Amino acid sequence: MKKFAIITASLAVLATPVLAQTATAPAATTTGAAPAEAKYSTVSKDEMFSSKLKGLNITNQANETVGEITDLAIKNNQVDALILSVGGFLGVGERYVAVSPASVKVALKDNKWVATMNTTKDALKAAPEFKYPK
């Protein structure tokens, strides 16, 4: 019993300075400049979302599927390129190509998003290959 009292008293003495300290917030570190105020937008129901864009097949004027949008490259707060999957069958032999968003027309047609591009499968297969940075 004597040991228990000594241990309890020792713990109480050791914990007292911890409880007496005032809590101070750690110094804040920042890694960039954020805007001073949040700005909000209104989004209409007919706007395109990246979740709808990704996976969208791209057809040409002959209504042939020439590729699929697999990703977006964003630079300076804007879409810089659409990453297309071209060629291959069931994921075998496919490759990626980065194209300018201006070269793809995305529109809502009969309540369905469609993407068209003035190109051929062969032209996209011959385009420079895009490889994701490591």
Side-chain angles (χ1 to χ4, degrees):
M1 186 69 173
K2 203 177 205 183
K3 280 186 187 179
F4 181 72
I6 293 173
I7 292 173
T8 304
S10 299
L11 288 176
V13 169
L14 291 175
T16 304
V18 173
L19 295 175
Q21 292 178 354
T22 57
T24 57
T29 58
T30 57
T31 57
E37 269 184 52
K39 295 181 182 178
Y40 301 96
S41 297
T42 303
V43 179
S44 67
K45 66 177 183 164
D46 59 343
E47 287 190 46
M48 171 54 81
F49 294 93
S50 64
S51 60
K52 300 292 184 198
L53 193 62
K54 190 174 175 183
L56 193 61
N57 285 329
I58 296 182
T59 57
N60 60 14
Q61 278 68 20
N63 207 30
E64 300 171 315
T65 300
V66 294
E68 178 183 319
I69 300 171
T70 59
D71 213 343
L72 307 172
I74 298 172
K75 181 179 183 181
N76 297 326
N77 298 323
Q78 294 183 19
V79 176
D80 186 50
L82 300 176
I83 309 302
L84 308 183
S85 169
V86 297
F89 182 71
L90 298 176
V92 177
E94 74 181 354
R95 56 194 293 275
Y96 299 104
V97 195
V99 299
S100 167
S103 63
V104 178
K105 180 183 175 190
V106 179
L108 190 59
K109 187 176 183 181
D110 298 326
N111 271 346
K112 185 178 176 186
W113 288 102
V114 293
T116 55
M117 188 174 181
N118 188 14
T119 192
T120 64
K121 288 181 184 182
D122 291 334
L124 283 175
K125 287 179 185 177
E129 184 174 9
F130 170 79
K131 294 191 180 204
Y132 283 94
K134 294 181 181 188

